[in-house]
């Protein structure tokens, strides 16, 4: 004789299948997870895989550094393989905002509008505001968490050689845009833009294509604007510019800005390095030309690595402000004209 001591039908929450896999959610949160679980699990899996690869490659790099020149302030010899791995992986991480906008943002609402799911859901007891906020909040939280983890691990990988190689310029997108707070803000902005485009165009494929173009345009503008967030400093010499005269030495980790090296006069004015270039084949004429211009040394502009975090916070703040504006538009427009 068998006695039933546990009835799954009685203990399972109403409205949720007994064999459901994944987080125990309810209401619209459960619906959003079910709709996009493939994309969410893919994001989680790629994050874990990327972290594992970065931890492994960092271990190889530090082992090589310890075995060659553990006390050196520069990079070990034949280190190009390890720096290439670092920069290549940073380049791959630079595509995260693009993927967030095109693959997650654009189809998020456009797919529901195209298939009629949005009309079905909002015709029930769920308000448009609740549905919109849930649709936005869940992917945004996963994007923020994933990019934060990737940024932290990549920065950890980079930290042993940060500022130690002339080719590892921290102002490059492969470092500046994928460390600290920047990738979080960048990915959230492109995600919000993709959602807004999808809501307006109402067609998944068209929205993805348009979002791709907008995100690329944002990247181009950002690349040109990024360095203007910093405060450019100068270093100069006053020991002449002839043979044997040394040029200014930049601080460790600094990145040279502008055209390069300038001439500096005894009054502190700067001349372009092309001054007297037409007489460079004649040493005496060239020297006389420089003396007539009262040139006494060199001058160079640079951005110190100490400004990196400040610039990233400024950039992230601007992107998050733009994200908030886009989200506000989505909520206001969606509550009134979504269907």
């Amino acid at each position: 004789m068998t006695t039933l001591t546990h009835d799954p039908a009685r203990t399972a929450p109403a409205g949720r299948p007994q064999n459901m896999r994944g987080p125990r959610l309810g209401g619209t949160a459960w619906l959003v997870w079910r709709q996009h679980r493939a994309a969410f699990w893919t994001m989680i899996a790629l994050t874990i895989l990327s972290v594992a690869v970065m931890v492994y490659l960092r271990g190889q790099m530090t082992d090589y550094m310890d075995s060659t020149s553990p006390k050196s302030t520069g990079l070990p010899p034949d280190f190009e393989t390890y720096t290439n791995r670092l920069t290549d992986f940073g380049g791959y991480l630079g595509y995260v905002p693009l993927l967030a906008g095109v693959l997650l943002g654009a189809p998020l609402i456009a797919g529901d509008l195209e298939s009629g799911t949005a009309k079905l859901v909002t015709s029930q007891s769920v308000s448009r505001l609740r549905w919109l906020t849930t649709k936005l909040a869940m992917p945004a939280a996963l994007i923020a968490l994933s990019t934060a983890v990737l940024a932290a691990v990549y920065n950890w990988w980079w930290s042993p050689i940060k500022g130690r190689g002339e080719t590892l310029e921290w102002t490059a997108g492969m470092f500046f845009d994928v460390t600290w707070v920047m990738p979080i803000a960048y990915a959230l902005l492109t995600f919000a833009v993709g959602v807004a485009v999808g809501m307006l165009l109402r067609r998944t494929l068209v929205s993805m294509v348009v979002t791709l173009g907008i995100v690329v345009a944002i990247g181009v503008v950002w690349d040109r604007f990024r360095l203007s967030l910093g405060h450019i400093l100068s270093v100069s010499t006053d020991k002449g510019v002839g043979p044997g005269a040394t040029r200014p030495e930049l601080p460790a980790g600094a990145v040279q800005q502008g055209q390069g090296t300038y001439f500096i006069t005894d009054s502190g004015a700067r001349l372009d390095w092309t001054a007297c270039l037409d007489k460079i084949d004649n040493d005496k004429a060239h020297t006389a030309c420089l003396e007539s211009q009262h040139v006494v040394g060199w001058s160079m502009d640079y951005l110190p690595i100490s400004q990196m975090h400040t610039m990233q916070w400024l950039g992230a703040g601007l992107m998050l402000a733009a994200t908030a504006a886009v989200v506000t538009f989505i909520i206001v427009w969606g509550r009134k004209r979504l269907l």
Side-chain angles (χ1 to χ4, degrees), residues 76-113:
D78 303 324
F79 200 69
E80 185 176 355
T81 299
Y82 299 94
T83 56
N84 286 344
R85 290 175 181 174
L86 180 67
T87 55
D88 288 346
F89 207 94
Y92 298 145
L93 293 180
Y95 287 105
V96 170
L98 182 68
L99 298 177
V102 175
L103 299 184
L104 288 176
L108 190 72
I109 293 179
D112 287 354
L113 292 172

Side-chain angles (χ1 to χ4, degrees), residues 91-277:
Y92 298 145
L93 293 180
Y95 287 105
V96 170
L98 182 68
L99 298 177
V102 175
L103 299 184
L104 288 176
L108 190 72
I109 293 179
D112 287 354
L113 292 172
E114 191 172 17
S115 64
T117 303
K119 186 174 183 179
L120 175 63
V121 172
T122 55
S123 66
Q124 308 299 317
S125 59
V126 179
S127 66
R128 293 183 184 180
L129 178 61
R130 181 182 175 187
W131 179 72
L132 280 171
T133 53
T134 307
K135 290 283 284 189
L136 289 170
M138 288 189 68
L142 280 175
I143 290 171
L145 179 61
S146 296
T147 51
V149 170
L150 292 172
V153 177
Y154 185 77
N155 189 72
W156 175 66
W157 179 9
W158 179 35
S159 58
I161 59 174
K162 188 176 182 179
R164 294 175 60 177
E166 295 181 356
T167 59
L168 303 178
E169 297 184 353
W170 59 268
T171 54
M174 66 191 68
F175 297 118
F176 191 93
D177 293 345
V178 299
T179 58
W180 206 242
V181 296
M182 273 305 307
I184 303 172
Y186 203 163
L188 289 177
L189 173 60
T190 56
F191 168 72
V193 168
V195 174
V197 171
M199 185 179 66
L200 293 175
L201 298 183
R202 297 171 172 261
R203 294 292 183 269
T204 302
L205 184 58
V206 176
S207 299
M208 293 174 71
V209 174
V210 173
T211 301
L212 174 62
I214 295 176
V215 172
V216 171
I218 291 174
V220 172
V221 173
W222 174 244
D223 284 341
R224 294 180 178 273
F225 174 75
R226 182 195 302 120
L227 297 183
S228 63
L229 296 173
H231 177 62
I232 295 179
L233 303 179
S234 300
V235 60
S236 60
T237 63
D238 58 359
K239 305 300 182 182
V241 296
T246 58
R247 299 198 179 197
E249 184 175 350
L250 298 180
V255 178
Q256 184 175 332
Q257 301 296 300
Q259 303 178 29
T261 305
Y262 299 87
F263 293 131
I264 188 170
T265 66
D266 54 7
S267 64
R270 297 203 304 182
L271 301 175
D272 191 88
W273 67 272
T274 58
C276 303
L277 186 62

